[in-house]
Amino acid sequence: VQLQASGGGLVQAGGSLRLSCAASGSILRINTNGWYRQAPGKQRELVAALTTNDYAHYADSVKGRFTISRDNAGNTVHLQMTRLKPEDTAVYYCNARAPNLSITDARLGSWGQGTQVTVSS
């Protein structure tokens, strides 16, 4: 699975960004899709995941602010980020993995290239 992430950038605290992750075909529909992030000096962590039956899981730190979604064609996954905070600054990675794999293991599945999100205070 080849994933292409886009949409990162620099934004002020309180602002919004929308990340997108594109894959060829409808491969995303048959896999759990996720967004992970890695800040300098920290381990990669789960931000949000969307299962094949459209159940969304969010890290506590982003609940109520971020929304993960998948388009009807099943080839693009988005992460809408609102009310951004400086602590959201990180490289964000999209991920696709088989439905039977744990979403909390940040080593599994296929990865897109990272996209930098920087939130200034």
Side-chain angles (χ1 to χ4, degrees), residues 36-118:
Y36 295 73
R37 67 186 181 188
Q38 188 166 19
K42 295 186 177 181
Q43 291 187 332
R44 191 173 298 187
E45 63 176 1
L46 172 68
V47 176
L50 187 64
T51 68
T52 54
N53 59 356
D54 295 330
Y55 175 80
H57 174 88
Y58 297 96
D60 288 342
S61 59
V62 307
K63 281 181 181 176
R65 301 189 297 121
F66 291 11
T67 303
I68 187 170
S69 63
R70 183 171 46 230
D71 69 2
N72 290 333
N75 56 15
T76 306
V77 174
H78 304 285
L79 184 69
Q80 180 67 48
M81 305 185 294
T82 64
R83 291 183 283 144
L84 283 160
K85 304 175 181 180
E87 50 264 43
D88 294 319
T89 296
V91 178
Y92 284 69
Y93 298 89
C94 61
N95 175 271
R97 61 184 62 191
N100 63 315
L101 297 179
S102 169
I103 60 174
T104 59
D105 191 329
R107 301 167 296 172
L108 303 178
S110 299
W111 297 90
Q113 90 290 2
T115 185
Q116 177 71 46
V117 171
T118 303

